[in-house]
Amino acid sequence: MSFPGALQQQVFDIQSSIFCLGEKVRQQSITLLEIGDYIPGSVMVQDLNAMKNLYMNKFGCDILHHSSEELASFGAEYFSRFFPEDEIILHRKALTQFIDQGDHTHLHSFLQRVRPGVQADYSWYFTTSRIIESSSNPGATQLVHIAVPVNTLTMTGHRISNMLENDEYIRKNFFRFNLLSAREKEVIRLIVAGKSSYEISEMLFRSIHTINTHRKNIIHKLEVTSLAGLIKFAVAFNLV
């Protein structure tokens, strides 16, 4: 999704911070239950297998005026109660496509309106979603949403960044990661694994010319000049 120029840098800042946060959770060095209440935005975790809400942090509960347990008990009513019906249909379609891709390194971001109840006014939020594996139930997947009031994007990005350590490289290079297509990420994985262009073309059923074009585009987008540089990038963004 594209955003107005004045908003784009703030979007990159918050996305890179959320990506770093997601990597910490994926690596199980922290859990959302441990830090959720310290994030200045609504944090929600959904079980993709059971399609139900598992967790909402204090910020989200305060905004919606319900406890995490109450929100989980609403079932399908949760969506109609707090979100516009026409936007629910639009976002559900986009999220379904995002989930079907199955790319745990990818983020899905969108603008949405939220209200605390059926008689209240809507407010705009910037929401970013990421798929993670359940730490308590191996093999199960969860969808994490972090929704931030649009007028607090920059502050929230800084707050999340300050919660994390040793992620300066990811924050500086996240906009490059965001330029890569799904196919280019796949090619990077295979290059780092030591595959030649010929081997990659055989594995992906593409011509040598197409693979070499992907390699040139990757070098251009990432501005890497060595295999070591590409490996560093791949490791940082979980492409290995």
Side-chain angles (χ1 to χ4, degrees):
M1 180 176 183
S2 60
F3 299 92
L7 185 61
Q8 191 64 61
Q9 185 57 53
Q10 296 178 47
V11 167
F12 275 129
D13 288 344
I14 190 69
Q15 285 180 326
S16 63
S17 297
I18 291 173
F19 182 90
C20 294
L21 175 63
E23 285 302 282
K24 293 289 189 182
V25 173
R26 184 187 65 80
Q27 295 163 7
Q28 298 183 20
S29 56
I30 58 175
T31 69
L32 286 174
L33 293 178
E34 292 173 334
I35 66 169
D37 288 342
Y38 298 97
I39 295 176
S42 173
V43 180
M44 184 175 74
V45 180
Q46 290 180 317
D47 184 325
L48 292 183
N49 300 91
M51 288 307 295
K52 65 178 182 180
N53 295 343
L54 298 177
Y55 166 77
M56 179 75 80
N57 71 339
K58 185 178 184 301
F59 185 101
C61 290
D62 289 344
I63 291 295
L64 300 180
H65 305 322
H66 289 281
S67 69
S68 182
E69 293 76 17
E70 288 172 336
L71 293 170
S73 71
F74 284 151
E77 183 191 349
Y78 168 85
F79 300 98
S80 59
R81 179 186 289 257
F82 302 114
F83 310 98
E85 184 176 355
D86 56 339
E87 292 180 18
I88 292 172
I89 297 172
L90 179 66
H91 295 320
R92 181 177 291 150
K93 180 179 179 181
L95 278 168
T96 298
Q97 294 173 342
F98 167 67
I99 293 167
D100 288 344
Q101 292 175 0
D103 187 348
H104 289 212
T105 69
H106 189 55
L107 301 178
H108 174 66
S109 297
F110 54 98
L111 291 169
Q112 66 175 159
R113 290 182 295 161
V114 182
R115 63 182 179 183
V118 293
Q119 302 300 323
D121 294 329
Y122 287 105
S123 297
W124 282 100
Y125 284 76
F126 176 79
T127 299
T128 295
S129 306
R130 179 173 179 172
I131 300 171
I132 62 172
E133 292 184 1
S134 171
S135 57
S136 59
N137 185 13
T141 53
Q142 298 174 345
L143 191 62
V144 177
H145 308 280
I146 298 181
V148 178
V150 168
N151 61 350
T152 67
L153 279 177
T154 299
M155 179 272 290
T156 301
H158 290 161
R159 284 276 299 275
I160 295 176
S161 295
N162 290 337
M163 292 169 59
L164 308 172
E165 298 177 355
N166 303 319
D167 289 311
E168 185 65 21
Y169 179 85
I170 289 179
R171 288 195 289 273
K172 284 184 176 179
N173 289 278
F174 181 77
F175 78 96
R176 294 189 174 92
F177 172 77
N178 214 38
L179 294 175
L180 296 171
S181 67
R183 178 67 74 186
E184 287 166 346
K185 292 176 185 177
E186 193 171 11
V187 171
I188 289 174
R189 288 189 181 97
L190 294 173
I191 292 174
V192 171
K195 305 299 182 182
S196 66
S197 290
Y198 175 78
E199 290 173 314
I200 295 173
S201 70
E202 290 286 303
M203 296 173 70
L204 300 183
F205 304 102
R206 295 292 185 273
S207 69
I208 288 287
H209 173 74
T210 298
I211 299 305
N212 285 335
T213 298
H214 283 315
R215 296 183 76 131
K216 290 177 182 178
N217 290 339
I218 289 167
I219 291 171
H220 175 71
K221 290 179 179 180
L222 303 188
E223 298 183 7
V224 294
T225 57
S226 66
L227 178 59
L230 184 62
I231 292 173
K232 180 179 180 180
F233 183 92
V235 170
F237 287 94
N238 192 31
L239 295 177
V240 293

